[in-house]
């Protein structure tokens, strides 16, 4: 099985706590996973960062490297941004790259890297007028978008990790 390089980028939303299992699932599908986190997601997972780096075989990144430092990650064959919060979706669509993960996602679009995202916002934020504009912008740029309602619920809907990885597998056929 040929290994393909996947940038798995995660924002701070509760599904980020499942990332180790998602990495293992992606690896079982033949992906070499590089994990990037927003600074808040890195804070949430601070106690697991060394273990996640060992699991992926790559440094977990949440900030830009210094000028002149080598990039230790391979170039991506595909990108999965999940969960992609309200802030992330809007920043990515607008090209606001002050966070590493959004910068990597923006570069992926510019490079034509197959990209999938799972938008994860509660119903109040999803009702904001900019959100649908941003989703449409990302769709128009070729991002495969899945949705997850992050509103509080007695029985929350499961996060669509499997569907997201399936989407990557479909795009990998074209790689």
């Amino acid at each position: 099985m040929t290994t393909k390089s996947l940038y798995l980028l995660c924002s701070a939303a509760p599904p980020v706590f499942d990332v180790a299992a998602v990495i293992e699932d992606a690896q079982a599908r033949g992906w070499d996973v590089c994990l990037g986190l927003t600074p808040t997601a890195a804070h949430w997972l601070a106690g697991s960062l060394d273990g996640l780096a060992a699991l992926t075989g790559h440094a977990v990144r949440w900030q830009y490297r210094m000028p002149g430092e080598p990039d230790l990650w391979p170039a991506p064959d595909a990108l999965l941004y999940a969960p992609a919060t309200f802030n992330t979706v809007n920043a990515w669509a607008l090209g606001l790259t002050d966070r590493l993960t959004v910068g990597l996602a923006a570069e992926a679009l510019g490079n034509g890297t197959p990209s999938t995202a799972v938008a994860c916002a509660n119903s109040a934020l999803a009702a904001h007028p900019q959100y649908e504009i941003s989703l449409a912008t990302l769709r128009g740029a070729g991002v495969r978008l899945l949705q997850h309602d992050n509103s509080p619920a007695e029985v929350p809907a499961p996060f669509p990790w499997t569907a997201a990885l399936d989407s990557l597998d479909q795009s990998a056929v074209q790689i």
Side-chain angles (χ1 to χ4, degrees):
M1 178 185 295
T2 303
T3 302
K4 306 161 301 286
S5 181
L6 171 64
Y7 283 12
L8 174 58
L9 309 177
C10 303
S11 299
V16 77
F17 292 111
D18 300 327
V19 75
V22 175
I23 291 167
E24 290 172 339
D25 190 4
Q27 289 170 331
R29 294 168 181 243
W31 293 100
D32 175 26
V33 181
C34 299
L35 179 62
L37 303 170
T38 63
T40 303
H43 173 71
W44 287 10
L45 298 175
S48 303
L49 295 178
D50 289 341
L52 292 168
L55 179 61
T56 64
H58 301 283
V60 177
R61 296 178 56 194
W62 61 90
Q63 57 190 353
Y64 284 102
R65 56 190 164 86
M66 294 294 290
E69 285 183 345
D71 189 350
L72 302 176
W73 284 6
D77 292 306
L79 179 140
L80 171 58
Y81 207 132
T85 61
F86 173 82
N87 187 52
T88 293
V89 166
N90 289 320
W92 189 7
L94 294 169
L96 303 176
T97 61
D98 60 328
R99 287 177 287 138
L100 169 72
T101 54
V102 176
L104 293 171
E107 286 179 353
L109 290 182
N111 289 327
T113 303
S115 299
T116 297
V118 181
C120 182
N122 66 37
S123 56
L125 290 174
H128 189 283
Q130 182 59 49
Y131 189 64
E132 190 53 46
I133 294 168
S134 294
L135 291 172
T137 297
L138 293 175
R139 276 188 208 99
V143 177
R144 294 179 184 209
L145 279 170
L146 304 171
Q147 297 277 355
H148 177 73
D149 185 350
N150 200 36
S151 299
E154 198 169 309
V155 179
F159 195 77
W161 287 115
T162 300
L165 291 173
D166 289 348
S167 175
L168 290 174
D169 291 341
Q170 292 169 6
S171 69
V173 171
Q174 303 167 4
I175 295 174

